[in-house]
Amino acid sequence: MNPANYLYLAALLFTIGAFGVLIRRNAIVVFMCVELMLNAANLTLVAFSRMHGNLDGQIMAFFVMVVAAAEVVVGLAIIVMLYRSRHSASVDDASLMKL
Amino acid sequence: MIGLLVAAPLLGAAVLLCGGRHLNRTGHWLGTALAGVSFVLAAVLFVDMLGRPGDDRALHQHLYSWVPVGGFQADIAFQLDQLSMTFVLLITGVGTLIHLYSVGYMEHDNRRRRFFGYLNLFLAAMLLLVLADNFLLLYVGWEGVGLASYLLIGFWQHKPSAATAAKKAFVVNRVGDAGLAIAIFLMFTTFGTFAFGPVLANAEEATQATLTGIGLMLLLAACGKSAQVPLQSWLGDAMEGPTPVSALIHAATMVTAGVYLITRSGAIFNAAPDAQTAVVVVGAVTLLFGAIIGCAKDDIKKALAGSTMSQIGYMVLAAGLGPIGYAFAIMHLVTHGFFKAGLFLGAGSVMHGMNDEVDMRKYGGLRKYMPVTFVTFGLGYLAIIGFPGLSGFFSKDAIIEAAFAKGGTQGWILGAVTLLGAAITAYYMTRVMLLTFFGEKRWQPDERGNEPHPHESPKTMVIPMVVLAFGSVFAGGLFKFNDAFVNWLRPVTSFEHGHPPIGVAAITTLTVVVLLIGVAAAWLQYGRRPVPVVAPRGSLVTRAARRDLLQDDFNHVVLVRGGEHLTRSLVYVDNKLVDGAVNGTAAAFGGLSGRMRRVQNGFARSYAVSMFGGAALLVAATLLMRAV
């Protein structure tokens, strides 16, 4: 199979993720969309690794996964705390920092 | 030795001004003595100078380097040549006499010590002015006499008019001083020095434009100090000062500083004909201007002030004629120093006897009460109108001849102006004489019932008047004899014989004729019939002349109002344009940031949009660049 197809898939996933971040209000869904975009990036890295015949991209993908895992821990903790204090997980409600 | 000339009165000023109360009883004699010391020193130096041949008479003394900085060399150095010597003798001689006179005149003033301190300060500054060997040191003396003049005009500072007059004199003089400062700057940039020697010797090497610029700035300076049109307005008001001050500073010495400056810078003016023409015009205008004012004033001192202005106009005119006139300008300056100081002292003596009344219409018939004053004043009068044989005749006649000798149309115009001036001089001086000493007595008791009892003044006042009267009578003849004065000054100012288009005898005759016409006109108006105590309304010209030919009105309308308008429009520009630009910029940024702030709305998703937008833009730009 042509490895370029993986790239198309990755682009599709990234676009879905980006749109999800922009249009969804629920923080959990936004968070999932962010993950989707990260994994789209991972997919491209792996695809390039395959196309170039070396392992650099795959190693990079591991790094991204580690960072994403750490980010999920911190992000979910914030969202849980937010929900507890405001009884809502809407990102638009958390706009207290504006002037 | 030369330094001592300046040091003696300077010491006097320091001691008298710092000495305090216990000098009150002796201070005036100390001041007079130190002025006398200066005069004796000057006389010794004069005799010494006469012993040397003409070209070898100048003395130089370098005291110390004042500001030695690279190419800028300012020295405290003196130069005593024939021109300076003439001034030094006049200043110290007349100065000493006036110190003596002031002892009597200021007897009842409890600030007499301070007065003598200021007089000594003036003498020191004036001597510095004429003895300096460079323009910068001259400038120091120039400012010094300005300061002393300010202090002395405003000596009776409890009178608001005196305080105002002092301020006016100071401010008007400052305009001229600015001219001198600019002239010195120009000299330094052109010649790299401001010492008399190199500047005057190399004057012709500079460009015509520079020379004309320096000349005009020097003329401005001379106008300020010598009360020439257009900076003449302060002199009349300066008569608020005590009369000895008017005699010493505002008649005999300080106001002639401008003539000294022009004569001293003769080499520059000789090489700049345009500037010279300006000098002549200023002199001619002032000579008529002052004379007309002198005709209308009822205040005896202001009439004499108008006359001073006019006589200095003669000197400036003569100095503007170039080498045919310098010597005569200085000669008239010296004779004028004698007779005008004498006239002022006479006026002071009259005021002393008349309870300080200055209105001549309230005098009348004083010759019986003050015989010595009458005789000395009368001799001064004959001298100033140029009565044949007296000082003024020789010096003024020489100037009139030189004016004719200028040649061409200019010569005729200048000659006519000087002749007309002579006629008006005869008119107003005869008027002063008739109003003061002839006719019946016109004085009355003042509001408090004090009737003046005119009496002859004390000896200390009379002696200087007598000495000055001798000078008024004989100085001119002495100077003229064998062309002594011209030969004396020739090495400094150079001299050319002028050749008037009409004979010298004819000019002399004309001078005497116009003189008689002037005297006769005054006699017809003031001698033949009684003089009204209250001045009649008079014609338009008379009223204008009483207001100093509207000089103050002119200054008020043009300079004061003009200045106010200028500042107001500048304030307007400042408020609207400069502040407008600054405030506008601030407001624009304020408004802009108000708009920009709305972008920061606190919604995470809108931040995400801008992030995506930015990233998309970057990617697009990268792709575009790669495509290109």
Side-chain angles (χ1 to χ4, degrees), chain A residues 18 21-25 37 92 95 98-99, chain B residues 597 600-605 607-609 612:
Chain A
V21 169
L22 292 183
I23 61 177
R24 296 303 295 261
R25 288 205 187 85
M37 284 156 71
D92 287 0
S95 60
K98 76 170 179 184
L99 202 66
Chain B
R597 200 182 60 191
Q600 305 288 326
N601 51 13
F603 293 119
R605 291 185 305 142
Y607 298 157
V609 170
F612 274 111

Side-chain angles (χ1 to χ4, degrees), chain B residues 196-210:
Chain B
F196 288 151
V199 168
L200 298 178
N202 300 325
E204 279 167 14
E205 289 168 16
T207 61
Q208 194 56 230
T210 318

